[in-house]
Amino acid sequence: MDHLNGSPERSGEDGKRVVNELDFFGVKTGNLMMIKEKESFHVKEEMNHRDDERLQGMQLDVNTGLNLLTTNSSSDKSTLDDETSHTMEDKHPTNKLAALRTEIDRMSVENERLKGLLNQVNNNYHVLHMHLKTVMQREKYNQKTGTAVEYKMINGLLEDQKQSGVVVPRQFMDMGRIPLPEKDDVNSQSSFEGRSGINCTNSGSPKNDIVESMECKTKTTSLSCKDSGRNDNNHGDRDEESQEHEFSGWVSNKVPKFISPKDEDQTPETMSMIRKARVSVRARCEASMMSDGCQWRKYGQKMAKGNPCPRAYYRCTMATGCPVRKQVQRCAEDRTILITTYEGQHNHPLPPAAVAMASTTSAAASMLLSGSMPSADGLVTPNNLLARSTTASCAPSLATLSASAPFPTVTLDLTRPPPTSSSESQRLLHPQGEFTLNLQPLPHNVMSVPQAFSKFSGLHGLNNGAHLAASQMQQTPMAATADTVSAATAAITSDPNFTAALVAAITSIIGNAKSNNTNNNNINNAITRSGDNNIN
DNA sequence: CGACTTTGACCAGCGC
DNA sequence: GCGCTGGTCAAAGTCG
Ligand SMILES: [Zn+2]
């Protein structure tokens, strides 16, 4: 959403509104977003109040902006007048032609830019729409099971609240600080997936561990979730400015120069969450880098503590100023495993091959946003609960999505083979194939892929990569490569109805597991295609 | 020649 | 204050 803000506008005091080109698009995009908002049940997730106010304040400008679309050319002409009016008046055909060409060029550029913006706005719209769908689905289920859930908007974000009055399993994804293990315990994964340790007996009631739970404790002071292990002590001391600086980075030790001022128009906490949300993909890969459809430029390499393999830093070069970065590092325990960590959202249209992964990243950000609802004070703070991932220990399991700290990170672990057996399974039919949901015990803090789907189902939907993804998935067994799972993600969720069915099934399975499993761990639902492995 | 990689320097945060 | 660490910068080198 960075692009929504456009560049600083210049506004004359004499009533003449002087809008530079980029700002014009910012306004226009704002308008588009407002339209979408009206169509999308007034749910705003990534918008914040400041944006809202800005947009409302711009409402007048929006119309102006639209008019500018037509008047722009004329006004552009008029602004060009100073230099060109004489030449225009010369009525030399060549000059006219040149002027027209310039105009056409500019319009082409504008068109491209608009396309990109529209694309993103559409994506955001679908994200919100599908998120709402999921929420409603879950609400349905909760009503079935007698647990009332109330969703409300807090600071522009959806929050669900159980109304039963009991301490119930809430959405649990603690993005906050975790108690740091002894230094020696920090394994090679620490730098990527947080100081994730083996978790997690401190989760309270085991039942609470079931599923899709997300929780966010709130404090009253700090906003920053960034590297919370490091900074939490300082939060109270920070003034607003310094806090805003903190939000501007991919990891934040420094204020990255590529962050444009427009980013700071976003509410710090929102931007923080979006920027800091990471998707870490663990996959077996011989090559030094997985191909994910994007163009990357390496800008650094470091030896990370605890891992003999160097960590490489890449930034997206598909568009100038794209804030997306990724880190690539091999797993110390198993060097065939490549750990790729993505952060940020692209500010440009993506090729189909890149959509799935980018969607996953933005979905993660979205999930983190929705799962870490600010309390009434509108603040999000790290806390010291769980959210440790077992993925760090390379425990054998399924492809999983997990939440881990200190960075809000969703880890997609693709290194584990599909299950050979399961205690429970459910089949789902879909034109793209038959999918089987498997249940396997999993430590409570790990969020499985389908759980994640149910959490932000549909986020991947309606993207261009779906068909490609589907065909990829036909060829490759699940859990084989990052591409496959991305593909599966796109393929499965490209059909909203199927997504809904998937979510319902997962919810139902989880519900059963809850009632059947007293001493339970978390449930891991693996999605597999029939035939890829045998399900009992 | 532009795009990319390599690599040492630099910076900020943190712990001692 | 100092050293460690993660992250970034930027000059020099490489490649097509
Ligand atoms: Zn990008």
Side-chain angles (χ1 to χ4, degrees), chain A residues 294 316-319 322-324 345-348 350:
Chain A
C294 276
C316 175
T317 59
M318 292 196 73
C322 178
V324 175
Q345 290 185 301
H346 295 278
N347 63 356
H348 52 85
L350 291 167

Side-chain angles (χ1 to χ4, degrees), chain A residues 15 18 50 125 153 246 302 343 440 510:
Chain A
V18 185
R50 284 170 63 180
Y125 168 67
M153 302 295 295
E246 281 204 354
K302 292 285 277 190
E343 184 183 301
Q440 277 198 338
I510 285 165

